[in-house]
Amino acid sequence: MKKIPGIIRPELQQLPQVKDRMTFLYLERCKLNRRDGAIEVMDDDGTVDIPAAAISVLMLGPGSSITHRAMELIGDVGVTVIWVGEHGVRYYASGRPLTKRAGLLLQQAKLVSNQRLHLAVVRKMYAMRFPSEDVSKLTLQQLRGREGSRVREIYRKLSKQYDVSWSGREYNPEDFFESNAVNQALSAGHVCLYGLAHAVIVALGCSPGLGFVHVGHELSFVYDLADLYKAEVTIPIAFEAASQDLPDLPAYVRRKTRDAMVEQHILERMIRDLHYLLADEEEAGEEESVVYLWDNIRDTVPNATSYRMGDTP
């Protein structure tokens, strides 16, 4: 993508794509209108027309506004709109999910609800973060112990590298400035990752609350997905920031995290990794606008059919 002041002018073939049908486009500081079958994007530097059918997910950042006519077109072609902070570092709201089918959500619910399958996803998550270890036979308790040990080692290494004192992850959610510099930096950076993870999850039609490692919170799956990238993105940035005498530590960390997420293609990786974790094969095909009826014997039966007692499709 080519960035100019204000909007990001896209070369459509360069937009992040997943399975050749999911295209994410981020825009900021611009006005969106409708021109025939295109979304007209305007800012102080000019106008760009983007074919609505060429985008799947539209992420609207700070300073953007959109007209009712543009939303009509977006609704007609099935584009998902998500309102986010700068480069997705905060999640605010969203429209319809990208998919018209519930396959990915049903798969997520199935994996969460079955103890054996649930543990298999947890093992996948651990293996993605620490690929050098064989976790195929580890229990959940053993996985937690291994993860704690490896994460503590990461903190110790960075503490020594940046000469920053580290005594553990200590913070008060109600008082950001109560904790020390490195914990403040970690909190500021993690929030950025959570925002992008939340946007990806809802765009793909999954539930932010159905987590595997984290459970019981409305953002459990958001925390799960974001955890996959902390060791390479937010944790090193936090220690580097804490080693300096910065006038505005949180702002510095947010900017660094934003830039790192763009440079390391975290958005594209989150989409790919989410599909891998849920091992969803059905959604890989072309989408259909289809509604089924649930059947306790045959799983699903066709909709829009008048059934009588004892009918078998």
Side-chain angles (χ1 to χ4, degrees):
M1 288 186 287
K2 295 181 179 178
K3 185 174 180 180
I4 64 170
I7 65 173
I8 295 179
R9 296 185 181 273
E11 301 292 345
L12 291 180
Q13 71 273 14
Q14 296 177 1
L15 292 172
Q17 296 194 7
V18 181
K19 299 181 181 176
D20 298 323
R21 65 181 179 87
M22 299 181 190
T23 306
F24 283 64
L25 175 62
Y26 170 84
L27 297 172
E28 63 179 31
R29 297 174 177 83
C30 60
K31 181 175 181 179
L32 285 74
N33 204 342
R34 174 177 182 170
R35 180 182 294 181
D36 299 323
I39 297 172
E40 184 182 63
V41 184
M42 299 171 286
D43 74 350
D44 293 339
D45 296 295
T47 301
V48 174
D49 287 342
I50 304 170
I55 354 176
S56 298
V57 179
L58 181 60
M59 303 176 73
L60 299 180
S64 58
S65 63
I66 187 165
T67 66
H68 189 275
R69 289 282 290 152
M71 287 303 301
E72 283 181 341
L73 175 61
I74 283 169
D76 288 342
V77 299
V79 176
T80 297
V81 182
I82 303 173
W83 286 264
V84 297
E86 194 171 25
H87 284 281
V89 298
R90 293 291 178 91
Y91 168 90
Y92 298 121
S94 65
R96 56 179 290 177
L98 172 66
T99 178
K100 294 182 180 132
R101 304 183 67 177
L104 203 57
L105 176 60
L106 291 172
Q107 178 72 355
Q108 181 188 10
K110 174 184 174 182
L111 295 173
V112 164
S113 305
N114 181 290
Q115 191 173 47
R116 178 180 58 84
L117 298 177
H118 191 135
L119 181 57
V121 175
V122 173
R123 287 186 176 129
K124 275 186 176 183
M125 288 181 171
Y126 186 90
M128 290 171 68
R129 296 174 65 186
F130 308 110
S132 60
E133 297 192 26
D134 179 10
V135 300
S136 58
K137 294 182 173 57
L138 295 183
T139 66
L140 182 58
Q141 293 71 29
Q142 289 171 327
L143 285 170
R144 282 203 196 101
R146 290 281 187 92
E147 179 185 30
S149 176
R150 292 293 294 270
V151 171
R152 286 192 296 272
E153 179 58 31
I154 292 171
Y155 283 132
R156 281 194 294 267
K157 178 181 177 182
L158 290 168
S159 173
K160 183 178 180 180
Q161 178 180 343
Y162 289 102
D163 193 24
V164 172
S165 176
W166 174 253
S167 58
R169 185 74 173 105
E170 301 168 352
Y171 65 100
N172 180 359
E174 305 300 324
D175 187 353
F176 177 81
F177 293 101
E178 181 181 305
S179 55
N180 59 24
V182 68
N183 275 289
Q184 288 181 28
L186 286 167
S187 295
H190 292 347
V191 166
C192 298
L193 271 180
Y194 297 152
L196 191 61
H198 200 161
V200 167
I201 289 167
V202 298
L204 299 185
C206 294
S207 168
L210 295 182
F212 295 89
V213 176
H214 300 85
V215 295
H217 190 276
E218 63 174 338
L219 300 180
S220 293
F221 195 41
V222 173
Y223 300 148
D224 282 355
L225 188 60
D227 275 358
L228 300 177
Y229 316 98
K230 287 179 179 178
E232 60 179 300
V233 180
T234 53
I235 298 178
I237 288 173
F239 276 89
E240 182 263 333
S243 69
Q244 307 177 56
D245 184 17
L246 298 169
D248 191 343
L249 178 68
Y252 175 85
V253 171
R254 286 193 296 269
R255 288 192 296 269
K256 289 280 288 188
T257 303
R258 174 201 64 196
D259 294 342
M261 291 195 302
V262 173
E263 292 167 3
Q264 298 181 41
H265 304 284
I266 299 299
L267 169 62
E268 297 93 319
R269 290 169 58 187
M270 282 184 175
I271 299 166
R272 183 184 66 242
D273 292 343
L274 187 147
H275 277 275
Y276 167 71
L277 288 171
L278 301 185
D280 178 69
E281 297 177 359
E282 181 181 351
E283 288 283 312
E286 289 298 319
E287 286 195 341
E288 302 173 61
S289 180
V290 62
V291 178
Y292 293 111
L293 301 179
W294 178 72
D295 186 272
N296 65 328
I297 297 175
R298 299 172 61 89
D299 191 22
T300 59
V301 296
N303 180 42
T305 300
S306 179
Y307 292 99
R308 294 174 296 177
M309 185 75 73
D311 276 358
T312 302

